[in-house]
Amino acid sequence: MAKASLIILVSLAICMSSSLSLVNGAASDANKFTVLGHVYCDTCRVEFETSLSEPLPGAAVKLECKNRTDEKITFQSPEITTDNLGDYEIDVTGDYEDSDCDVTLVKSPRADCNDPTEAWRKARVVLTALDGVTGQIRFANNLGFKKKDAVPGCKKVLTDMGYFELKDELGSEFV
């Protein structure tokens, strides 16, 4: 009888410790995120990607989170450089439910393509597990730098896309 009680007690202790380590492991994993994104050269100067847009390897971005109430910085990544496809990855540990987190453009490696797009100068990402979004991967909207001048072929590409308001961005010589 004493042996049976001891076996039950030891089994119960093992089950409880396994459950606690599983819960603690899940909690720590819930606060680890990977932000994935892409930086491109906007060759048509339209502030969105087209088939003529080019990936921008060597561009620098950073992630910064600010508290919504007092605007204090709660997280700041180092500058991250894009790979040869213009893609980047930022690892983040922590829960930033009370912060607005944005990936921002820092600099372009190309002198002919270094004008940051106004509309996509930053990309907001949610870095909390407490909002119903599951998973550790977070995707940022693509960010782009504009070329100084639009490349030939933009009119055709944009017309094929159904975009006809070309004079403001491309100039009258392209329309």
Side-chain angles (χ1 to χ4, degrees):
M1 181 73 176
K3 252 187 181 177
S5 296
L6 184 60
I7 291 173
I8 291 172
L9 186 61
V10 168
S11 297
L12 184 61
I14 290 172
C15 287
M16 288 179 66
S17 68
S18 296
S19 296
L20 288 175
S21 67
L22 183 63
V23 168
N24 287 337
S28 64
D29 285 348
N31 290 330
K32 291 183 181 177
F33 302 99
T34 300
V35 178
L36 302 177
H38 179 75
V39 180
Y40 66 96
C41 178
D42 178 3
T43 57
C44 290
R45 297 189 51 81
V46 290
E47 300 195 2
F48 57 85
E49 281 187 275
T50 67
S51 60
L52 297 177
S53 297
E54 302 166 352
L56 204 51
V61 297
K62 71 176 179 178
L63 173 66
E64 187 173 88
C65 300
K66 289 184 180 179
N67 183 285
R68 286 186 197 100
T69 306
D70 60 15
E71 295 287 318
K72 288 185 180 175
I73 295 174
T74 56
F75 177 84
Q76 188 172 38
S77 75
E79 285 186 13
I80 304 295
T81 303
T82 59
D83 65 15
N84 62 340
L85 298 174
D87 298 328
Y88 63 87
E89 180 177 314
I90 304 172
D91 292 320
V92 181
T93 301
D95 188 280
Y96 298 95
E97 180 183 23
D98 296 328
S99 297
D100 288 329
C101 299
D102 296 305
V103 178
T104 56
L105 293 169
V106 176
K107 63 183 171 192
S108 171
R110 289 178 43 183
D112 70 326
C113 190
N114 63 3
D115 182 15
T117 58
E118 293 303 317
W120 302 110
R121 191 179 295 252
K122 63 183 178 178
R124 174 116 341 136
V125 291
V126 176
L127 296 175
T128 182
L130 304 174
D131 67 348
V133 177
T134 59
Q136 296 174 326
I137 305 290
R138 302 301 163 100
F139 297 96
N141 287 333
N142 294 348
L143 297 167
F145 288 96
K146 294 185 285 191
K147 272 185 89 69
K148 300 293 182 203
D149 297 304
V151 299
C154 288
K155 179 183 178 191
K156 180 180 179 349
V157 167
L158 295 170
T159 301
D160 290 348
M161 293 173 68
Y163 185 76
F164 300 105
E165 303 292 326
L166 301 175
K167 285 186 182 176
D168 291 339
E169 288 299 326
L170 298 178
S172 58
E173 68 273 4
F174 283 97
V175 180

